[in-house]
Amino acid sequence: EVQLVESGGGLVQAGGSLRLSCAASGFTFDDYTIGWFRQAPGKEREAVSCIRSTDGSTYYTASVKGRFTISSDNAKNTVYLLMNSLKPEDTAVYYCAADPNIPIRTWASTPWRYLEVRGQGTLVTVSS
């Protein structure tokens, strides 16, 4: 079965850190774009970050640049999102997704439902 499983979410105080993991099964990350979206209560889902497995190129939305770092361990078929200096506005359900045909430059504008493989999400809550 092809799936992505997210983990690592939880409750953290503002200024703290969390590392999210996205583990793939049923397929390998070879030549995929893998990334994270998030959806806060009452808001639309937005692209947060992604990485291209072949060359390590990355994308970050402006609000997380300098605070979040995405990385990929292709041997473990896992992508990580290290989130530092967390803010209450980072509170959201974080979702992982992967697609072999979406390049970095169009990831943020691709509707969630079009992505080939999508996870179920993990909740991140940042308290003030």
Side-chain angles (χ1 to χ4, degrees), residues 90-127:
D90 295 316
T91 295
V93 178
Y94 283 71
Y95 300 88
C96 182
D99 195 294
N101 301 312
I102 305 297
I104 293 283
R105 67 183 185 276
T106 59
W107 181 263
S109 59
T110 302
W112 168 259
R113 64 186 182 277
Y114 292 160
L115 298 172
E116 182 174 290
V117 191
R118 295 163 289 170
Q120 294 300 307
T122 185
L123 176 63
V124 172
T125 304
V126 184
S127 63

Side-chain angles (χ1 to χ4, degrees), residues 34 56 63 67 81 83 88 96 111-112 116 119:
I34 312 104
S63 62
R67 300 188 297 123
L81 186 68
M83 306 185 295
C96 182
W112 168 259
E116 182 174 290

Side-chain angles (χ1 to χ4, degrees), residues 39-113:
Q39 188 165 20
K43 296 187 176 180
E44 292 189 356
R45 200 177 327 232
E46 65 168 344
V48 176
S49 179
C50 66
I51 186 168
R52 187 71 189 179
S53 60
T54 48
D55 61 9
S57 55
T58 58
Y59 158 83
Y60 297 94
T61 192
S63 62
V64 309
K65 281 183 179 178
R67 300 188 297 123
F68 291 11
T69 303
I70 192 169
S71 60
S72 176
D73 185 336
N74 291 349
K76 294 184 178 180
N77 236 23
T78 301
V79 166
Y80 304 97
L81 186 68
L82 176 61
M83 306 185 295
N84 294 324
S85 303
L86 282 161
K87 304 175 181 180
E89 51 264 43
D90 295 316
T91 295
V93 178
Y94 283 71
Y95 300 88
C96 182
D99 195 294
N101 301 312
I102 305 297
I104 293 283
R105 67 183 185 276
T106 59
W107 181 263
S109 59
T110 302
W112 168 259
R113 64 186 182 277

